[in-house]
Amino acid sequence: ISCAIPPRFYHFMAIDPINECLTLNSITTKKVQFRYNNSIFASASNISMCASGMFCAVTFSFGTTKVYRIIYKSKKPISLEQICSFTYHFEPCDVSALFTDNFICATSFHSKDNCNHLVFWNYSTSLIHRIVDLTYKPVAMICDDDIDTLTVVGPLIIEQYSINGKLLHSFDFT
């Protein structure tokens, strides 16, 4: 599981569930800049970055999403600081995406009875902004900060939502 850090993309974050660690890596020097060992990373299911490269979200299969601030020195990322954690009814979660300007994180949760929820929550306060019920389990999501939209990709569907959870577009490929 890995994700490049914008806006320069000279570094990337990677999670190794087998070795239970998160690493910050340099693409140019091919060296590990920072290593964070914690058994929690064995349950990581997704990592995503905001467009500014200031925050990353790690989604865990046991139902928690943690948002970290990336610490920079001389324009190079050097470490992480956890700023919040969010759980929704202890339902498992699969994937998250971050909006930079509004401090909103969108996380997909699924329950045992096949109910899928897309929860928009504020990662500065951990308060819920909106909840959207989905008919599918998302496999990928990406935020567009320029127009405040979230694109959600399912197995046979692509949907786009406003930052307020309003469905803007839906493309069904069944």
Side-chain angles (χ1 to χ4, degrees), residues 145-160:
D145 280 322
D146 293 331
I147 56 174
D148 285 339
T149 59
L150 172 73
T151 303
V152 182
V153 179
L156 295 170
I157 192 167
I158 298 174
E159 292 183 327
Q160 192 172 53

Side-chain angles (χ1 to χ4, degrees), residues 65-79:
T65 298
K66 294 182 182 239
V67 177
Y68 297 88
R69 182 171 67 99
I70 301 170
I71 310 296
Y72 288 84
K73 183 177 182 181
S74 301
K75 298 184 180 180
K76 293 181 182 179
I78 58 167
S79 67

